[in-house]
Amino acid sequence: MFGSAMVQLRDGTPQSFFIKVISKEIGMNMTRGEFHSMSAMHNVLPEFVPRPIACGTYETIADTHFFLCEFREMTDDMPDPYKFAAFLSALHQKSESPTDKFGFHIAAYAGNLPQFVAREGSWEAFFAKTMRQALDLEIGRKGPSEELGVFSHALFEKVIPRLLRPLESDGRVVKPSLVYGDLWYANAGIDADSDQPLVFDACCFFAHSEYAFGQWRPTCNGFGDKYVAAYNTFTHDI
């Protein structure tokens, strides 16, 4: 359950808030993950996300948890590719992993699926483990598949090493950048007051800065080639 609420502060000023309420243990984990993700983004680029305020558990409603942030009025339009790419590039460039490793200090959720966040010093190792967790969740829900077994063997033994290992060979390094985690059109929009891009419902971790581009490939995602092209116009050392 989620929605907005207008309240009157102690000084009489009206203030709007957004609240998300989820029950059970998964609700506690999801609201905590979102609060820490939004806080991490807000600390780096506050104009890109609503200000997170709190997460916690209701005292009078059993096993019910909440995430609270400021309410920002948004339009239904897709953000301008270049404005959006400028914000996204700035987030990636300015963010610094506190451990110089990939991962995050708390698990966040893409929908109801936990992200892999265990710290890893290698991008290849981290990415492989994220894929392994995703496949394990798929097998756990739908059962084993011979076809999937063949595919996963090739993925982990050939594809991932061949594509990612060169990025960290011969002195090359991949900077762990703070990424949104599950960025698609339904989690982004335009601030009605500032006319600037805005994102919400983040599930962050430190990863390769172009991690989101794989998720952008399906047409249904909403962020197509023009957003990738816009991102690539910004010079960065990631």
mmCIF file of all heavy atoms in Angstrom, residues 17 41 44-45 50 74 81 98 119 121 124 134 140 159-160 163 173 193 195 208 221 234 237:
data_model
loop_
_atom_site.group_PDB
_atom_site.id
_atom_site.type_symbol
_atom_site.label_atom_id
_atom_site.label_comp_id
_atom_site.label_asym_id
_atom_site.label_seq_id
_atom_site.Cartn_x
_atom_site.Cartn_y
_atom_site.Cartn_z
ATOM 1 N N PHE A 17 3.778 14.315 2.213
ATOM 2 C CA PHE A 17 4.688 13.189 2.342
ATOM 3 C C PHE A 17 4.178 12.022 1.505
ATOM 4 O O PHE A 17 2.975 11.893 1.268
ATOM 5 C CB PHE A 17 4.805 12.744 3.805
ATOM 6 C CG PHE A 17 5.382 13.780 4.716
ATOM 7 C CD1 PHE A 17 4.549 14.649 5.412
ATOM 8 C CD2 PHE A 17 6.751 13.896 4.882
ATOM 9 C CE1 PHE A 17 5.078 15.611 6.253
ATOM 10 C CE2 PHE A 17 7.286 14.858 5.724
ATOM 11 C CZ PHE A 17 6.453 15.715 6.407
ATOM 12 N N MET A 41 21.514 7.714 -2.698
ATOM 13 C CA MET A 41 21.391 8.561 -3.879
ATOM 14 C C MET A 41 21.240 10.026 -3.495
ATOM 15 O O MET A 41 21.840 10.909 -4.110
ATOM 16 C CB MET A 41 20.202 8.116 -4.728
ATOM 17 C CG MET A 41 20.399 6.787 -5.432
ATOM 18 S SD MET A 41 19.067 6.411 -6.594
ATOM 19 C CE MET A 41 19.317 7.680 -7.831
ATOM 20 N N VAL A 44 24.402 11.833 -2.664
ATOM 21 C CA VAL A 44 25.267 12.146 -3.804
ATOM 22 C C VAL A 44 24.645 13.205 -4.700
ATOM 23 O O VAL A 44 25.315 14.152 -5.127
ATOM 24 C CB VAL A 44 25.553 10.869 -4.628
ATOM 25 C CG1 VAL A 44 26.395 11.204 -5.862
ATOM 26 C CG2 VAL A 44 26.265 9.830 -3.778
ATOM 27 N N LEU A 45 23.346 13.067 -4.998
ATOM 28 C CA LEU A 45 22.690 13.955 -5.960
ATOM 29 C C LEU A 45 21.260 14.239 -5.486
ATOM 30 O O LEU A 45 20.301 13.659 -5.987
ATOM 31 C CB LEU A 45 22.680 13.286 -7.343
ATOM 32 C CG LEU A 45 22.586 14.199 -8.563
ATOM 33 C CD1 LEU A 45 23.838 15.061 -8.690
ATOM 34 C CD2 LEU A 45 22.397 13.372 -9.826
ATOM 35 N N PRO A 50 13.470 12.224 -4.417
ATOM 36 C CA PRO A 50 12.796 12.803 -3.253
ATOM 37 C C PRO A 50 13.612 12.530 -1.982
ATOM 38 O O PRO A 50 14.265 11.490 -1.870
ATOM 39 C CB PRO A 50 11.454 12.064 -3.212
ATOM 40 C CG PRO A 50 11.267 11.525 -4.590
ATOM 41 C CD PRO A 50 12.640 11.220 -5.097
ATOM 42 N N MET A 74 4.758 14.934 -9.811
ATOM 43 C CA MET A 74 5.441 14.571 -11.044
ATOM 44 C C MET A 74 4.467 14.533 -12.212
ATOM 45 O O MET A 74 3.277 14.265 -12.034
ATOM 46 C CB MET A 74 6.119 13.201 -10.900
ATOM 47 C CG MET A 74 7.160 13.135 -9.805
ATOM 48 S SD MET A 74 7.818 11.465 -9.571
ATOM 49 C CE MET A 74 8.653 11.215 -11.138
ATOM 50 N N PRO A 81 16.039 12.963 -22.695
ATOM 51 C CA PRO A 81 17.188 12.049 -22.640
ATOM 52 C C PRO A 81 18.471 12.700 -22.154
ATOM 53 O O PRO A 81 19.212 12.098 -21.364
ATOM 54 C CB PRO A 81 17.321 11.563 -24.087
ATOM 55 C CG PRO A 81 15.944 11.666 -24.644
ATOM 56 C CD PRO A 81 15.354 12.888 -23.997
ATOM 57 N N PRO A 98 32.355 3.131 -0.278
ATOM 58 C CA PRO A 98 33.119 3.302 0.966
ATOM 59 C C PRO A 98 34.150 2.207 1.197
ATOM 60 O O PRO A 98 35.074 2.383 1.992
ATOM 61 C CB PRO A 98 32.034 3.283 2.049
ATOM 62 C CG PRO A 98 30.893 2.545 1.434
ATOM 63 C CD PRO A 98 30.928 2.886 -0.026
ATOM 64 N N ARG A 119 29.811 -7.834 -0.785
ATOM 65 C CA ARG A 119 30.948 -7.074 -1.298
ATOM 66 C C ARG A 119 31.901 -7.962 -2.094
ATOM 67 O O ARG A 119 32.250 -9.069 -1.678
ATOM 68 C CB ARG A 119 31.715 -6.442 -0.140
ATOM 69 C CG ARG A 119 30.888 -5.506 0.726
ATOM 70 C CD ARG A 119 30.576 -4.203 0.041
ATOM 71 N NE ARG A 119 30.007 -3.229 0.972
ATOM 72 C CZ ARG A 119 29.626 -2.005 0.632
ATOM 73 N NH1 ARG A 119 29.750 -1.604 -0.614
ATOM 74 N NH2 ARG A 119 29.127 -1.183 1.541
ATOM 75 N N GLY A 121 35.526 -7.448 -4.739
ATOM 76 C CA GLY A 121 36.512 -6.541 -5.306
ATOM 77 C C GLY A 121 36.590 -6.597 -6.813
ATOM 78 O O GLY A 121 37.144 -5.700 -7.447
ATOM 79 N N GLU A 124 33.786 -8.798 -12.410
ATOM 80 C CA GLU A 124 33.426 -10.090 -12.996
ATOM 81 C C GLU A 124 32.817 -11.011 -11.940
ATOM 82 O O GLU A 124 31.770 -11.633 -12.166
ATOM 83 C CB GLU A 124 34.647 -10.764 -13.619
ATOM 84 C CG GLU A 124 34.342 -12.136 -14.204
ATOM 85 C CD GLU A 124 35.585 -12.906 -14.612
ATOM 86 O OE1 GLU A 124 36.654 -12.294 -14.765
ATOM 87 O OE2 GLU A 124 35.479 -14.145 -14.774
ATOM 88 N N ALA A 134 20.041 -14.760 -9.431
ATOM 89 C CA ALA A 134 18.826 -14.630 -10.234
ATOM 90 C C ALA A 134 18.388 -15.983 -10.796
ATOM 91 O O ALA A 134 17.194 -16.324 -10.785
ATOM 92 C CB ALA A 134 19.055 -13.636 -11.366
ATOM 93 N N GLY A 140 14.260 -22.051 -8.253
ATOM 94 C CA GLY A 140 13.518 -22.319 -7.032
ATOM 95 C C GLY A 140 12.018 -22.179 -7.212
ATOM 96 O O GLY A 140 11.235 -22.875 -6.556
ATOM 97 N N VAL A 159 30.838 -16.910 -21.420
ATOM 98 C CA VAL A 159 30.388 -15.564 -21.780
ATOM 99 C C VAL A 159 30.886 -14.507 -20.797
ATOM 100 O O VAL A 159 31.517 -13.517 -21.194
ATOM 101 C CB VAL A 159 28.850 -15.518 -21.879
ATOM 102 C CG1 VAL A 159 28.385 -14.092 -22.185
ATOM 103 C CG2 VAL A 159 28.362 -16.470 -22.960
ATOM 104 N N ILE A 160 30.597 -14.697 -19.514
ATOM 105 C CA ILE A 160 30.978 -13.682 -18.525
ATOM 106 C C ILE A 160 32.492 -13.484 -18.468
ATOM 107 O O ILE A 160 32.966 -12.339 -18.525
ATOM 108 C CB ILE A 160 30.388 -14.024 -17.141
ATOM 109 C CG1 ILE A 160 28.863 -13.860 -17.172
ATOM 110 C CG2 ILE A 160 31.000 -13.139 -16.053
ATOM 111 C CD1 ILE A 160 28.164 -14.249 -15.881
ATOM 112 N N LEU A 163 33.696 -11.572 -21.664
ATOM 113 C CA LEU A 163 33.246 -10.192 -21.782
ATOM 114 C C LEU A 163 33.799 -9.285 -20.685
ATOM 115 O O LEU A 163 34.167 -8.132 -20.944
ATOM 116 C CB LEU A 163 31.717 -10.135 -21.761
ATOM 117 C CG LEU A 163 30.978 -10.655 -22.995
ATOM 118 C CD1 LEU A 163 29.475 -10.558 -22.780
ATOM 119 C CD2 LEU A 163 31.384 -9.882 -24.242
ATOM 120 N N VAL A 173 40.858 -1.071 -14.634
ATOM 121 C CA VAL A 173 40.006 -1.214 -13.455
ATOM 122 C C VAL A 173 38.596 -0.738 -13.787
ATOM 123 O O VAL A 173 38.397 0.066 -14.700
ATOM 124 C CB VAL A 173 40.542 -0.415 -12.242
ATOM 125 C CG1 VAL A 173 41.892 -0.935 -11.805
ATOM 126 C CG2 VAL A 173 40.625 1.072 -12.568
ATOM 127 N N ASP A 193 7.494 20.916 -10.478
ATOM 128 C CA ASP A 193 7.915 22.264 -10.089
ATOM 129 C C ASP A 193 9.214 22.691 -10.759
ATOM 130 O O ASP A 193 9.337 23.811 -11.250
ATOM 131 C CB ASP A 193 8.069 22.349 -8.570
ATOM 132 C CG ASP A 193 6.745 22.172 -7.845
ATOM 133 O OD1 ASP A 193 5.715 22.645 -8.370
ATOM 134 O OD2 ASP A 193 6.738 21.557 -6.767
ATOM 135 N N ASP A 195 10.812 20.954 -13.329
ATOM 136 C CA ASP A 195 10.910 20.470 -14.710
ATOM 137 C C ASP A 195 12.186 19.663 -14.935
ATOM 138 O O ASP A 195 12.676 19.566 -16.052
ATOM 139 C CB ASP A 195 10.831 21.633 -15.705
ATOM 140 C CG ASP A 195 10.490 21.163 -17.121
ATOM 141 O OD1 ASP A 195 9.693 20.218 -17.250
ATOM 142 O OD2 ASP A 195 11.042 21.724 -18.092
ATOM 143 N N HIS A 208 29.195 -1.604 -12.040
ATOM 144 C CA HIS A 208 29.670 -0.932 -13.247
ATOM 145 C C HIS A 208 28.653 0.149 -13.613
ATOM 146 O O HIS A 208 27.445 -0.066 -13.523
ATOM 147 C CB HIS A 208 29.797 -1.949 -14.381
ATOM 148 C CG HIS A 208 30.509 -1.439 -15.597
ATOM 149 N ND1 HIS A 208 30.029 -0.401 -16.366
ATOM 150 C CD2 HIS A 208 31.673 -1.824 -16.177
ATOM 151 C CE1 HIS A 208 30.851 -0.173 -17.370
ATOM 152 N NE2 HIS A 208 31.868 -1.020 -17.278
ATOM 153 N N ASN A 221 10.793 -1.325 -21.437
ATOM 154 C CA ASN A 221 11.451 -0.588 -20.363
ATOM 155 C C ASN A 221 11.233 0.914 -20.493
ATOM 156 O O ASN A 221 11.135 1.622 -19.494
ATOM 157 C CB ASN A 221 12.949 -0.906 -20.351
ATOM 158 C CG ASN A 221 13.679 -0.249 -19.205
ATOM 159 O OD1 ASN A 221 13.884 0.957 -19.212
ATOM 160 N ND2 ASN A 221 14.056 -1.038 -18.216
ATOM 161 N N PHE A 234 28.386 12.247 -22.394
ATOM 162 C CA PHE A 234 29.011 12.851 -21.221
ATOM 163 C C PHE A 234 30.356 12.180 -20.956
ATOM 164 O O PHE A 234 30.440 10.966 -20.795
ATOM 165 C CB PHE A 234 28.099 12.732 -19.996
ATOM 166 C CG PHE A 234 26.851 13.553 -20.126
ATOM 167 C CD1 PHE A 234 25.696 12.997 -20.667
ATOM 168 C CD2 PHE A 234 26.838 14.883 -19.753
ATOM 169 C CE1 PHE A 234 24.547 13.748 -20.820
ATOM 170 C CE2 PHE A 234 25.695 15.650 -19.902
ATOM 171 C CZ PHE A 234 24.554 15.082 -20.435
ATOM 172 N N ASP A 237 35.281 9.256 -16.451
ATOM 173 C CA ASP A 237 36.426 8.357 -16.281
ATOM 174 C C ASP A 237 36.020 7.085 -15.563
ATOM 175 O O ASP A 237 36.770 6.526 -14.775
ATOM 176 C CB ASP A 237 37.536 9.054 -15.476
ATOM 177 C CG ASP A 237 38.033 10.297 -16.175
ATOM 178 O OD1 ASP A 237 38.164 10.245 -17.401
ATOM 179 O OD2 ASP A 237 38.297 11.303 -15.490
#
